[in-house]
Amino acid sequence: MKRRNFSKLAVVFLLFASCAQKPVESPENDSSAFVSLTDAVPDAILEIRYYGTYNFVGARIDGYEQPTALITREAGAALRAVSDELVAKGYRLKIYDAYRPQKGVDHFVRWAEDLSDTRMKPYFYPDLDKSVLFDQEYIMLKSGHTRGSTVDLTLFDMTTEKEVDMGGTFDWFGPESHPDFCGNPETGEYTGDNSKSPSVPKRSITPEQFENRMILRRAMLSHGFKPLDTEWWHFTLADEPFPDTYFTFPVREL
C-alpha cells in the first residue's frame, strides 16, 4: 500500500513539474479574442496594402505573413452591421488594414528614421520632407490598430464594380486626407474650402467625392465606430475591448 501511494504521488509530482515548465503565453501574443475579418464580414473585399509593396514604405511590412485581415470579435460584429447597411445601398466594404502587429509598427518607425529612403515619396507624401513624419504624427511608436479594433477601409460600388472615388488615396500624408477637407464632417456640408492644401495650385475634392467620404463615415459612426480627424478611411470601435493592450502575434489565418 505504501509503495502504491508513493507511486501515485510521484506521478502527480511529475505532471505538476511538466506543467510548470511550459512557458506561459503573454496576453499580447494571444489571438483567441480575434476573428478573420472575412468570417465576420463575408461581403468585405480585402486589399491588404501592407502585405504587398504598394504602400508608403514600398515593401511588405514585418508581421504580415498572409494577405488577410484580423479583428476583435466585437469590432467584427459592429463592422458586419455597417456592411449590412451599406450592401442594402449598393456598396461593399473594401479593407486596406485592420489589426496591425507591433512588429509592423516598429517597421514603420525604422523606415521613418532612414531619411535616405524616399522611393515612395511621389505617391504618398510629395509635399512633406520625410524628417517631419514623427513631429506631425504620421508615424508613431504605437498604433490603435495594434489593439485590434481599428480598421482602414473604403467603399466598393457594386453597380460600377469599381472602388468609390474618395478624392484621394489611402495613406496619403497631408491635409487632403482629413475628413474636414473641403467640408464639414459634422454636418455633411460641402464647403469647397481647400485652403489647407499645401500644393500650388491647391488640390481639391468635388462635392461628390466629399459625399462619398460622408457615406462611409455616417455608416461607421452609426454602428459604434469613432473617426480619426486626420484620415477619412480610419475608424476605431468606440467601446473597444482591449484599450490598453498592444498585440504582437502576426497577421495570418487563424
Side-chain angles (χ1 to χ4, degrees):
M1 292 293 294
K2 290 182 178 180
R3 288 181 179 176
R4 190 175 297 171
N5 290 338
F6 177 79
S7 298
K8 289 181 178 179
L9 288 172
V11 170
V12 171
F13 175 79
L14 289 173
L15 288 172
F16 177 80
S18 176
C19 292
Q21 290 173 3
K22 291 181 180 179
V24 177
E25 187 172 52
S26 68
E28 293 79 11
N29 199 40
D30 182 4
S31 62
S32 62
F34 285 68
V35 295
S36 293
L37 192 147
T38 48
D39 286 343
V41 188
D43 292 312
I45 300 168
L46 300 186
E47 186 182 325
I48 308 305
R49 291 286 184 89
Y50 301 138
Y51 180 78
T53 59
Y54 181 58
N55 56 59
F56 60 83
V57 174
R60 181 180 297 177
I61 304 305
D62 291 352
Y64 286 79
E65 297 183 358
Q66 291 180 321
T68 191
L70 308 178
I71 198 166
T72 61
R73 286 191 177 88
E74 292 84 350
L79 197 61
R80 173 60 183 269
V82 174
S83 177
D84 289 347
E85 175 185 327
L86 290 172
V87 164
K89 297 177 180 178
Y91 301 104
R92 293 172 67 184
L93 299 179
K94 186 173 185 180
I95 310 299
Y96 295 127
D97 194 30
Y99 161 68
R100 182 183 306 159
Q102 185 59 44
K103 182 184 290 187
V105 177
D106 295 341
H107 191 166
F108 290 170
V109 170
R110 291 195 308 274
W111 166 82
E113 290 173 339
D114 180 5
L115 299 183
S116 66
D117 184 356
T118 57
R119 55 188 144 160
M120 301 304 286
K121 178 179 171 66
Y123 308 104
F124 294 98
Y125 54 104
D127 302 322
L128 297 175
D129 189 283
K130 193 176 179 183
S131 63
V132 307
L133 297 185
F134 284 112
D135 289 342
Q136 297 190 19
E137 297 187 345
Y138 289 108
I139 303 297
M140 302 177 70
L141 300 179
K142 295 286 186 181
S143 169
H145 281 273
T146 310
R147 302 194 299 264
S149 295
T150 294
V151 61
D152 292 336
L153 75 173
T154 190
L155 297 176
F156 181 88
D157 189 318
M158 291 191 288
T159 300
T160 64
E161 297 186 346
K162 294 181 180 180
E163 187 174 308
V164 171
D165 184 2
M166 298 293 193
T169 186
F170 163 66
D171 263 352
W172 176 272
F173 294 175
E176 295 88 354
S177 294
H178 297 186
D180 66 355
F181 184 65
C182 287
N184 184 340
E186 302 304 319
T187 64
E189 177 190 7
Y190 177 80
T191 63
D193 181 7
N194 64 346
S195 59
K196 293 181 180 179
S197 178
S199 66
V200 180
K202 293 186 179 298
R203 298 185 185 89
S204 187
I205 62 174
T206 67
E208 291 77 15
Q209 290 166 337
F210 180 78
E211 175 58 19
N212 289 338
R213 295 183 181 192
M214 293 302 103
I215 291 171
L216 175 63
R217 180 186 178 94
R218 287 192 294 265
M220 295 296 286
L221 269 61
S222 68
H223 293 287
F225 288 89
K226 59 184 180 181
L228 186 67
D229 60 7
T230 55
E231 298 173 352
W232 58 258
W233 57 80
H234 176 117
F235 298 89
T236 300
L237 188 67
D239 191 18
E240 58 182 313
F242 302 103
D244 302 308
T245 305
Y246 293 85
F247 290 92
T248 58
F249 59 87
V251 175
R252 62 186 177 205
E253 292 294 341
L254 297 174

